[in-house]
Every structure is written in structure tokens, then in C-alpha cells.
Amino acid sequence: NPHSSESGKSNSTSPDPWWVFPKPEPNGSSTNSSNSTGSCPFKLFCFTVLNTTMNAPRLLTAQFENNAGIFACDEYMAITVGAQLVLGQGWKTKKISAPSQWDTQGVAEVYKNAWDEILWDGRFRQADFTIKVAPDTVFFPDRICKHLTELRASAYARTYVATCTQSTGPPKMLGSLEIFSRAAVEAFSLGKTKCRDTIGYKTTAEAEFMQQCLGMLNVTSILDEDMLADETCGPSPCDDVTKAAYSSYTEVAQWLNCWEVSDYAKDFGDIPVDEIEAAVRLRMRKLKLVQTKKLLKLK
């Protein structure tokens, strides 16, 4: 699936940085959406926020090259801190300023700016659900859609998804995967200043701040303990396809392996791989992974 550029294709003739990889030109005009969620009744807008001075750009590149993670959503945005990245076909990330220090307050300011960018962008208004995904979370939008359908979730209800009950207090939303209805994001856009003035957002983790803020704004949670496999709450192996996301896989090879194992288990299950169709599909997927790992200089 073709990726669209934030501001069209790059016309620069300077040497490509390491993260720019050649991709085939799409047939016809490029589009904003991957349509990978298939028959999903919901439109998903997904975004991630990453620090360009760490390993996250390599993770983003692997996801981009495989149409995985946020790039399998209907609409997506990658917000990079301190530098804009250019991926294949000239697709660009959205740059926000870097904090003076990467301490608790600096990280809080990054997420404040990232959310302001999401609200200014406005695509959440055309989506049923907005999903924030950590760069190191292995994530399948089609399975998210299945979970949301089973929850009977609605874009019009002021709700977010809580995924963890392994602590005292109410169910929690974890930073590895945050899901908000359109109505919930709209409520946040109207009430964010009140929240920031009332809650100590500069000393509060982003997911916790969002949960407290949404509570102040009368946005309620819906619980799905089976959606996310997170090592801080309910870990589960990547071949457990009842899960829609797995966290965290900070190394590119680990991320790709989890994605491949889970995708394979979902697609084939107990089907023998020597069947023609399964064998062909598996071979094509393996070739793509080999190509990506070669580009990223992985073993």
C-alpha cells in the first residue's frame, strides 16, 4: 500500500540519510490510507511519538517497510522529537521541538506538544477511534477493530479503553496502547487547558494524566483485559493471537520477530505450511523480512 507524504515527495538531490529506502512508485495517485483493516466497521487514526536520538527511528522504518503498526491503520501520523525523518517514497514524519532535558518535565512537555499537534491536525474528527501506540509496541489494527466490535464500542460515546487491572484502584490505560473514541478526543480538545491547570501534568506520566483528565471531563472507560499483552501488567507470547498488541520490543529484530510470529499464527494456525497457498504466502513474507533486516543491517 502506498504511503502519502506530509508535504508531497521530496525533491532534494542531496544524499539520502540512512533511513530513506527506495520503494516502488505506486500506480496512480498516492493515498492517505492503508485500508488494511479490511471489513472493520470503524475508521482508525493511529499515531506514535518517538525520540529520534534513540533506537525508535529504526523501529519506525521497519514498520513502514512492512506496512505494519500504525501504517496498517486507515490514517496515521508519526511525530518525531527534534528532527523530521524522511522514509520511503518521500513520506515525512511530523517534527516537534525537543525538550531542553529528557527528565520527567521534559517528557511531559513532549507529549503535551504531540497531543496539541494531533488536535490541530484534526484527522481524529474523521476517524471513529484515535489510537496512540508506543514505537516498541507490536500492534495489529485489524485485531483492535475486532476487540472494539466485541466491546460494542462507539465513536459517539465518550469512552477510552482500559487494559490493565493488575494494580489497586480502577482499571488503567497503559502508555503502550491508548484508544480513544472520537467523542473522547473531542472532549479532551475542549477541556485540555482545564486539565493541565488542575492536574500536575509535568510530573505525571502521559497515560495517567490522560486517564485523570478524561475522568474530570466525564469520559468513562471500557475494560478489555484481553487486548494488550504488556510486560508491566499481563504478559503473553506473540503467538497468542487473542491479543491485539504486544509490549515492549525495543530492538528491531525482536519487534519484527514478534510481528512475524503473531501474524503467521493468525493467518495459518494449524494449516500445514507445505500447502501451496500457505507456502507461497509464507515465502513472500520471509523475503520481505529478510529485505528489511538487510536494509537495517540486522542479522
Side-chain angles (χ1 to χ4, degrees):
N1 295 312
H3 299 278
S4 66
S5 169
E6 181 198 32
S7 56
K9 291 184 181 298
S10 172
N11 294 318
S12 172
T13 56
S14 59
D16 287 339
W18 70 265
W19 56 79
V20 177
F21 302 118
K23 296 188 75 174
E25 287 294 321
N27 296 323
S29 61
S30 62
T31 66
N32 285 345
S33 58
S34 70
N35 297 318
S36 294
T37 50
S39 59
C40 177
F42 304 121
K43 185 173 183 179
L44 306 180
F45 172 46
C46 305
F47 75 97
T48 191
V49 182
L50 57 146
N51 180 355
T52 54
T53 64
M54 301 176 70
N55 195 46
R58 292 165 61 83
L59 286 170
L60 188 70
T61 298
Q63 293 162 27
F64 180 89
E65 288 295 319
N66 288 281
N67 290 325
I70 66 168
F71 301 106
C73 294
D74 301 291
E75 297 282 344
Y76 44 81
M77 177 184 288
I79 299 174
T80 47
V81 182
Q84 184 180 64
L85 304 184
V86 183
L87 305 184
Q89 293 184 297
W91 191 86
K92 300 175 183 178
T93 64
K94 182 66 181 180
K95 173 190 170 184
I96 60 174
S97 59
S100 57
Q101 289 186 333
W102 281 97
D103 54 9
T104 302
Q105 293 192 20
V107 172
E109 199 65 26
V110 163
Y111 282 113
K112 172 184 177 293
N113 294 339
W115 269 109
D116 287 347
E117 190 63 46
I118 291 297
L119 299 177
W120 182 88
D121 174 82
R123 274 182 286 173
F124 75 87
R125 292 190 173 94
Q126 281 73 55
D128 295 297
F129 293 91
T130 293
I131 304 176
K132 174 191 163 290
V133 190
D136 56 10
T137 297
V138 179
F139 161 65
F140 294 90
D142 57 335
R143 299 188 208 171
I144 293 288
C145 185
K146 182 175 183 292
H147 279 259
L148 291 173
T149 302
E150 291 173 350
L151 289 170
R152 298 187 178 181
S154 169
Y156 303 101
R158 292 158 65 106
T159 55
Y160 65 92
V161 178
T163 55
C164 181
T165 58
Q166 301 298 315
S167 61
T168 58
K172 293 187 181 299
M173 176 175 66
L174 302 180
S176 51
L177 180 70
E178 303 173 26
I179 303 176
F180 312 90
S181 70
R182 184 196 310 141
V185 182
E186 194 68 66
F188 176 67
S189 71
L190 297 173
K192 67 182 190 307
T193 301
K194 174 185 176 182
C195 288
R196 290 167 182 169
D197 289 343
T198 305
I199 303 169
Y201 82 91
K202 290 187 177 182
T203 57
T204 307
E206 183 268 346
E208 184 180 346
F209 166 77
M210 288 298 295
Q211 191 161 3
Q212 290 184 32
C213 175
L214 294 175
M216 282 181 55
L217 302 175
N218 296 316
V219 177
T220 59
S221 67
I222 50 178
L223 176 63
D224 188 336
E225 295 181 87
D226 298 321
M227 181 182 288
L228 172 65
D230 189 290
E231 61 184 11
T232 66
C233 183
S236 190
C238 296
D239 60 0
D240 178 0
V241 297
T242 64
K243 306 297 184 184
Y246 310 82
S247 177
S248 65
Y249 293 88
T250 57
E251 296 298 324
V252 178
Q254 294 174 347
W255 197 100
L256 286 171
N257 182 67
C258 180
W259 177 72
E260 165 66 9
V261 166
S262 190
D263 198 33
Y264 174 82
K266 174 69 166 59
D267 280 357
F268 299 117
D270 296 327
I271 300 175
V273 295
D274 57 353
E275 291 188 8
I276 294 177
E277 182 180 0
V280 170
R281 291 174 63 194
L282 179 60
R283 179 60 178 161
M284 290 178 66
R285 183 180 293 127
K286 290 292 185 185
L287 284 172
K288 183 63 176 176
L289 283 172
V290 169
Q291 179 188 40
T292 301
K293 291 178 180 180
K294 183 178 179 181
L295 288 168
L296 293 174
K297 298 180 180 179
L298 298 172
K299 293 181 179 181

